[in-house]
């Protein structure tokens, strides 16, 4: 399925927003810590590549990979 660059960006941003919120709620991170954790992660790099199709997945699914990465 083809999506525009704007649609891709919106989908990615929704997932990122949810992951940051989950990190703050579940791990007690500050907003800055959560932003840093997400934006410096390997999963964010994969999410940023439209060829992976990861942006089509649920935020919970993507977050599970982030949790695994963070340990």
């Amino acid at each position: 399925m083809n999506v525009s660059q704007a649609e891709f960006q919106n989908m990615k941003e929704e997932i990122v927003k949810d992951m940051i919120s989950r990190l703050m709620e579940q791990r007690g991170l500050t907003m800055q810590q959560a932003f840093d954790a997400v934006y410096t992660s390997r999963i964010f790099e994969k999410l940023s590549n439209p060829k992976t199709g990861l942006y089509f997945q649920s935020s919970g699914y993507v977050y599970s990979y982030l949790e695994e990465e963070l340990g």
Side-chain angles (χ1 to χ4, degrees):
M1 176 180 206
N2 289 334
V3 297
S4 71
Q5 184 63 28
E7 290 170 322
F8 165 71
Q9 196 64 30
N10 286 337
M11 294 167 82
K12 182 178 86 169
E13 286 174 8
E14 284 298 315
I15 293 172
V16 167
K17 181 176 72 172
D18 190 51
M19 289 195 302
I20 289 169
S21 179
R22 286 176 186 237
L23 284 173
M24 291 170 62
E25 290 173 14
Q26 296 177 7
R27 293 189 172 222
L29 299 182
T30 65
M31 187 178 291
Q32 185 62 52
Q33 290 170 323
F35 267 84
D36 290 345
V38 170
Y39 284 109
T40 60
S41 68
R42 290 187 311 268
I43 198 66
F44 178 75
E45 187 176 324
K46 290 178 182 178
L47 180 63
S48 297
N49 180 351
K51 292 180 182 176
T52 66
L54 201 54
Y55 64 97
F56 274 121
Q57 303 301 321
S58 72
S59 59
Y61 178 81
V62 180
Y63 180 73
S64 70
Y65 281 103
L66 178 63
E67 278 190 309
E68 189 177 303
E69 182 179 332
L70 296 176

